[in-house]
Amino acid sequence: MKKYLSLFLAILMILTALFTIVACNDPEQPDDPKDPVTEGGDKPPVVTPPTGGGEVERIPLNYLPTDGFNDAQFHILEWSCNNVVDVGVSWIPWEEGDVEEEDGDMLASAVFDRNAWVEETYGVIISKEYAQIEYEPTYTTRVRNDSETSSNTYQLFTMRTVGIVSLIEEGYFADMNEYEQYLRTDQPWWVQDAVESFALGSHLYVCASEMLLRDKGATAALFFNQVMTKDYTDLPNFFELAAEGEWTLEELIYASEIVAHSNDNDEEMNSAQDIWGCIGGDDPIYYLFNAAGYKFAHIDEDGYIAYDFGYDEDSVTVIKSIFDDFLYTDWYMNSTTEGEFLEKDQDLFVDGVSLFKTGMVKDTTNRLKNMNDLYGILPYPKYTLDQGDYSSLVWEHHDSVLGIPQFAANKEMCAVILEALSWESYYSVYPLFYDTILLNRAAKDQESKEMLEIIFATRSYDPGLYWDGGSGLHGGDGLLRLSMKGTSDIASLWAIYEDRVEENIQEVNNWIANKE
């Protein structure tokens, strides 16, 4: 026995020595584990990934130069809703640009730390300003004035996708693909569906990366009152249905019909005292259409816009069904319509008079933060069981995209800093935003956290919404306002707008062809 024990110990000593030699000579070991390019400065090389569930090693950023830009300005122009310039309100729920000082808020501190690291590593000074949509000087006014005066005021634009077509066609955005040695848009800190949806031919003038937070908040999400569900035994378990891929529009309608009833003795659904199946505005026509697996247009293999709606009979049938079976029912309260009561839908939902509320992810941080009843979060339902994955639209009126100014004095610097901000955000800001702000603050239960994971895994852009910016189909008297008219005559509406849509899409495609 002693002989075998001695032999075992000898073998163990030999193996230990060999392991030590191999480890000391491992060519993969970095010479300097704190090199700012490969490991992000003094930040740890292993971090929590954006989707949670363990640690990942950072992808090296060693393709960016680190010789510095001599404290050059990196000034960001961010869009703002009219009269809204403060973080924390509906249109600007989270900071994504410059934070001047640490104020104790975890997310703001993460943005501050990200910026400080980028400033120190690459030798720039980051700042930002908000520009309102309509009030002078408007966002587009500032963009155009800066171009005409060659003042080099801005090094990065963040703008909602509504209204970007004219600015792109007028040449105010640089082609990101010209700086592909710095902007690695195939990497995970760039939103891949956005890369595909905003491509124009071989060019990419705007896109979304993990530097942005407002585009996350602009993702469609459906909410329900969990307290109300306990009073109706016939209601299914919405979380289980969604988790099993069986959450459909039919189930949403069924539950809404069970719950909705007049509660003020007049036997009509016409007041804030009644109990509603669902409350929302007119935007859900787009959320539900996208959730049904449809888009108004797609980008073809050559990078041109191919319009689908109107030419696809099924898409017209589906959107008509959404109007008739959802928006025009007596259990849906459309808070956008002119009527007897015009209270905001979030206030009514918070007051507990509706089972469901349509909306976006950012509602969790702003509109629902004072709700006493426990609410649940769901993806928008599928149209049919067999359509595949859920689809969660990024809504163009509230989202944000990134663009490099064509007239910036040093566009290479702009590209380098944008990549660095996006990379660092992916590893530090976004995980905190996702795990702490969304999953711990916004989602009040484990099931809602799982639903948020589904929503963020199925985020979707619709090229037909922003590249057709001028036909009027999606505004004015078009589809967005059809919900206030009580009619689902899509065929007649399409007959009015078809030529305008074709003209708009053809104009963009001609512009693409001239750029190729």
Side-chain angles (χ1 to χ4, degrees):
M1 179 63 70
K2 291 181 179 179
K3 179 176 69 174
Y4 286 113
L5 179 61
S6 299
L7 179 61
F8 172 78
L9 291 174
I11 294 173
L12 181 62
M13 292 176 63
I14 293 172
L15 290 175
T16 302
L18 288 173
F19 178 81
T20 302
I21 294 172
V22 171
C24 292
N25 291 277
D26 183 4
E28 297 299 319
Q29 297 292 320
D31 294 333
D32 182 5
K34 293 186 178 181
D35 178 71
V37 175
T38 59
E39 302 295 350
D42 58 356
K43 299 179 183 297
V46 177
V47 296
T48 302
T51 54
E55 295 182 334
V56 294
E57 187 173 350
R58 290 191 178 207
I59 298 173
L61 200 61
N62 52 13
Y63 51 88
L64 295 185
T66 57
D67 48 357
F69 294 104
N70 300 317
D71 290 336
Q73 72 167 5
F74 189 82
H75 194 50
I76 307 169
L77 181 64
E78 297 200 38
W79 78 272
S80 168
C81 183
N82 299 325
N83 286 328
V84 177
V85 293
D86 295 322
V87 175
V89 296
S90 174
W91 286 74
I92 310 177
W94 303 292
E95 180 60 89
E96 58 191 23
D98 174 56
V99 176
E100 295 181 359
E101 59 185 17
E102 296 182 271
D103 61 2
D105 179 87
M106 288 185 293
L107 187 59
S109 295
V111 173
F112 179 89
D113 291 342
R114 176 201 68 190
N115 290 358
W117 174 77
V118 172
E119 288 177 327
E120 180 180 357
T121 304
Y122 297 98
V124 295
I125 299 175
I126 299 172
S127 59
K128 71 126 179 17
E129 67 181 89
Y130 285 118
Q132 300 182 78
I133 301 170
E134 296 178 359
Y135 293 176
E136 291 295 341
T138 66
Y139 191 102
T140 53
T141 298
R142 297 191 196 196
V143 169
R144 291 188 172 103
N145 287 347
D146 196 55
S147 175
E148 293 170 0
T149 59
S150 301
S151 57
N152 189 37
T153 304
Y154 307 113
Q155 283 69 51
L156 182 67
F157 294 142
T158 75
M159 186 177 179
R160 67 175 183 171
T161 52
V162 171
I164 64 170
V165 175
S166 60
L167 291 178
I168 291 176
E169 290 182 338
E170 291 172 34
Y172 295 113
F173 292 92
D175 181 5
M176 292 183 178
N177 287 341
E178 291 184 4
Y179 305 94
E180 60 184 1
Q181 70 270 40
Y182 307 127
L183 297 172
R184 303 290 175 88
T185 56
D186 61 337
Q187 294 300 312
W189 44 90
W190 289 92
V191 181
Q192 293 309 302
D193 195 68
V195 173
E196 297 174 5
S197 298
F198 289 103
L200 294 176
S202 59
H203 310 284
L204 185 67
Y205 295 96
V206 296
C207 197
S209 80
E210 301 305 0
M211 173 191 163
L212 295 170
L213 295 177
R214 267 196 275 178
D215 68 319
K216 315 300 186 292
T219 306
L222 186 68
F223 307 94
F224 73 96
N225 187 316
Q226 295 200 54
V227 175
M228 288 183 68
T229 61
K230 302 182 186 303
D231 298 328
Y232 299 89
T233 58
D234 292 337
L235 292 179
N237 186 310
F238 304 134
F239 288 136
E240 288 183 1
L241 285 175
E244 294 170 2
E246 298 178 356
W247 174 232
T248 63
L249 182 59
E250 182 179 358
E251 294 286 357
L252 171 58
I253 293 171
Y254 170 76
S256 297
E257 290 176 338
I258 289 178
V259 171
H261 64 273
S262 177
N263 203 37
D264 55 6
N265 300 320
D266 65 359
E267 298 184 357
E268 293 183 5
M269 299 291 293
N270 58 8
S271 75
Q273 285 69 50
D274 296 325
I275 303 300
W276 298 83
C278 187
I279 289 179
D282 48 16
D283 297 348
I285 189 64
Y286 290 96
Y287 306 156
L288 290 166
F289 183 68
N290 183 270
Y294 292 89
K295 294 184 178 184
F296 285 87
H298 68 277
I299 305 299
D300 68 18
E301 59 183 10
D302 297 317
Y304 290 91
I305 304 161
Y307 211 82
D308 301 311
F309 180 77
Y311 307 103
D312 178 358
E313 185 177 343
D314 288 342
S315 67
V316 175
T317 300
V318 167
I319 208 165
K320 185 178 186 304
S321 172
I322 294 171
F323 274 112
D324 290 336
D325 300 330
F326 185 87
L327 288 176
Y328 295 155
T329 60
D330 58 1
W331 50 260
Y332 181 73
M333 197 283 278
N334 189 336
S335 60
T336 311
T337 60
E338 297 293 335
E340 182 179 338
F341 54 98
L342 295 173
E343 292 91 346
K344 293 181 179 179
D345 53 82
Q346 64 267 19
D347 295 334
L348 293 174
F349 182 73
V350 167
D351 289 342
V353 301
S354 179
L355 176 60
F356 294 105
K357 172 192 158 7
T358 64
M360 294 168 282
V361 167
K362 69 177 184 176
D363 293 342
T364 60
T365 302
N366 297 292
R367 297 178 170 179
L368 304 180
K369 62 182 179 181
N370 297 321
M371 185 169 178
N372 292 324
D373 290 350
L374 179 65
Y375 66 82
I377 306 173
L378 294 166
Y380 278 84
K382 302 175 182 180
Y383 190 70
T384 60
L385 280 174
D386 59 356
Q387 74 179 54
D389 292 335
Y390 297 100
S391 185
S392 305
L393 181 67
V394 181
W395 186 222
E396 60 165 349
H397 289 274
H398 291 244
D399 71 344
S400 196
V401 289
L402 299 159
I404 295 175
Q406 176 62 37
F407 44 85
N410 189 342
K411 289 190 283 293
E412 287 194 357
M413 180 200 74
C414 297
V416 169
I417 303 306
L418 173 55
E419 182 77 352
L421 286 169
S422 302
W423 180 84
E424 180 59 25
S425 295
Y426 176 72
Y427 288 112
S428 62
V429 178
Y430 182 47
L432 179 67
F433 161 77
Y434 187 84
D435 292 334
T436 303
I437 308 302
L438 285 183
L439 297 189
N440 291 331
R441 292 186 188 174
K444 306 300 183 182
D445 53 84
Q446 182 60 36
E447 292 86 355
S448 289
K449 293 178 182 181
E450 294 171 1
M451 296 301 104
L452 271 176
E453 292 177 358
I454 292 175
I455 290 170
F456 274 81
T458 58
R459 297 175 74 231
S460 175
Y461 292 82
D462 188 339
L465 296 180
Y466 35 84
W467 295 133
D468 174 30
S471 72
L473 176 64
H474 303 297
D477 293 323
L479 277 171
L480 194 60
R481 297 293 177 254
L482 195 64
S483 62
M484 294 189 293
K485 299 180 181 298
T487 176
S488 60
D489 189 357
I490 308 299
S492 295
L493 185 75
W494 178 242
I496 296 173
Y497 288 100
E498 180 178 5
D499 290 343
R500 301 183 201 177
V501 171
E502 288 184 354
E503 181 179 345
N504 272 275
I505 298 301
Q506 190 58 51
E507 178 184 330
V508 179
N509 283 337
N510 289 341
W511 184 85
I512 297 171
N514 291 331
K515 286 288 184 179
E516 293 299 279

